[in-house]
Structures are given as C-alpha cells and as structure tokens.
Amino acid sequence: MKKLLLLGCVAFAMTLTSCVATSVTPVAATSIPVGEKVSKVSQTCYLGIICNNKDTGILTACQKGGIEEVSTVDVKYKNILFGVIRQKTIIVSGR
C-alpha cells in the first residue's frame, strides 16, 4: 500500500512539473547597440476569453521604460495548466 501511495505521489508531482511551458521568441533586432534599459509589458488570458491587459505592444513597452532607440524585441509565451492560463510578455531593450 505504501509503494502504491508513493508511486501515486511521484506521478502527481511529475504531472505538476509538466503543467508550465515557456518559450522566448526573438521578434526584431536593429543595428543600435544593446542599451542599458529593458522594459516589459504582459498580458494574461484565462481560457482565451478573459484578458487582463489589452495594450501589450512594443510602443507601450517603450513608453513604459523610457526607451527611445530600440535594440531588440522578444516575446515570451508562458502556458500554464496546458493552456488554460496563457501569458504573453513583450520584452524591449534599448536606450
């Protein structure tokens, strides 16, 4: 009985660790050297219907971080619970 319980706990723990998938995708790069400023804007959606932030563009990230010259733009995607919760983050670097 103890072995069965231990096996069940291990299987449950392995299931929880596979519930989060993250990937970062480069979108753009310019000839401007990478500056010291980095700004991020994020949006989280639940079931693909309810989203907390509609304004997640590059311009918004630049304004938020005071970036006037863009060096790189990346997009980070994070899926939680097999896509039930999805988070998108725009990451802008520059000066």
Side-chain angles (χ1 to χ4, degrees):
M1 185 67 181
K2 288 183 181 182
K3 289 182 182 182
L4 185 60
L5 180 62
L6 179 63
L7 182 63
C9 289
V10 169
F12 181 70
M14 289 176 62
T15 302
L16 288 179
T17 58
S18 66
C19 289
V20 177
T22 304
S23 65
V24 178
T25 305
V27 175
T30 65
S31 60
I32 297 170
V34 176
E36 62 278 352
K37 295 181 182 179
V38 176
S39 181
K40 300 177 183 180
V41 290
S42 295
Q43 177 186 52
T44 303
C45 292
Y46 304 92
L47 298 172
I49 301 169
I50 303 167
C51 299
N52 69 346
N53 185 6
K54 302 289 184 189
D55 193 9
T56 57
I58 297 170
L59 181 60
T60 304
C62 289
Q63 290 170 344
K64 180 181 172 188
I67 298 174
E68 295 178 6
E69 296 178 324
V70 176
S71 299
T72 62
V73 178
D74 296 325
V75 180
K76 179 180 177 182
Y77 297 100
K78 186 175 186 179
N79 291 319
I80 303 168
L81 296 175
F82 305 105
V84 173
I85 302 170
R86 294 180 185 213
Q87 185 177 38
K88 176 179 82 170
T89 304
I90 305 289
I91 307 164
V92 179
S93 67
R95 31 181 175 162

